[in-house]
Amino acid sequence: AWAYPTARHDAPALFDSVATEAARQVGQLNAHHVAQLVWAFAEARHSAPALLDVLAERFLSLRGRWTLKDCSDVAWGYATLGHAVPELHAAIAGFASTCMNRFQVGDLAALLWAFGKVGQEAVQLLDSAAPVFSANVRTLASEELLQVAEAYVMAGREAEELFAAIRAEAERRQAALKRSSQA
């Protein structure tokens, strides 16, 4: 299923069939399979609420086998589809808080954006992520910088040092762009 949205191929009938079959065989899916399915449905913007509920239960049952990337993809997918599962997001937030420094910064940005989008409170995660982002603003793509800022704004969290770092990075990029356009 992941290939269709990647290729920008609209296939609603295929996704309906995949949803039916995946729900039927959900017990055979590992955490990575769940993450791939959620990501594919979100990328295709194909909502399947019954499947998402079953996949959330399955992902929660696989706690202890999660990877950081899978958590990020699952949270992002549910948020993109506007499907809030508070228990799932709370469990992912708890997991992410215990392994903050092992996340790739872009995945962490997507994760925090997802929490903000679904209204999941993740104060501890936001507070512990701010210094990580502040130290890594140069490694973030512009879209990821926006995701980070948006996550903190949606959560109503103050992060002065982080916002100062984002502002400085935006100014640095703007100056570099100006220099390159003058060359």
Side-chain angles (χ1 to χ4, degrees):
W2 66 266
Y4 280 81
T6 301
R8 303 289 180 228
H9 183 77
D10 192 28
L14 172 69
F15 277 89
D16 289 341
S17 294
V18 169
T20 300
E21 191 60 25
R24 192 175 70 72
Q25 296 187 35
V26 72
Q28 297 177 32
L29 301 176
N30 65 32
H32 185 65
H33 295 146
V34 171
Q36 285 181 316
L37 276 170
V38 171
W39 179 91
F41 274 77
E43 189 68 25
R45 305 303 191 263
H46 189 90
S47 186
L51 174 64
L52 292 173
D53 289 340
V54 169
L55 291 176
E57 289 177 26
R58 179 62 180 164
F59 197 73
L60 284 167
S61 77
L62 297 168
R63 214 177 306 204
R65 298 184 191 139
W66 295 350
T67 68
L68 303 171
K69 177 71 171 149
D70 290 342
C71 287
S72 178
D73 286 349
V74 166
W76 176 86
Y78 279 83
T80 298
L81 292 169
H83 193 89
V85 181
E87 181 185 355
L88 174 66
H89 285 88
I92 291 172
F95 173 75
S97 294
T98 66
C99 51
M100 178 68 52
N101 291 325
R102 294 193 327 240
F103 264 99
Q104 288 189 12
V105 182
D107 291 337
L108 185 56
L111 180 68
L112 292 182
W113 173 86
F115 288 154
K117 179 86 169 145
V118 298
Q120 175 66 43
E121 191 164 310
V123 173
Q124 180 183 356
L125 183 59
L126 286 164
D127 290 348
S128 58
V132 173
F133 286 125
S134 294
N136 291 286
V137 290
R138 286 191 174 210
T139 66
L140 289 167
S142 296
E143 180 182 333
E144 293 166 336
L145 286 172
L146 290 171
Q147 282 181 324
V148 169
E150 189 177 12
Y152 283 84
V153 169
M154 285 188 290
R157 295 299 293 166
E158 295 286 328
E160 287 183 36
E161 184 179 315
L162 172 60
F163 284 117
I166 291 172
R167 183 175 40 259
E169 179 59 16
E171 290 169 356
R172 186 192 70 75
R173 290 180 188 188
Q174 183 179 22
L177 184 61
K178 188 175 181 180
R179 282 191 305 275
S180 70
S181 69
Q182 292 173 346

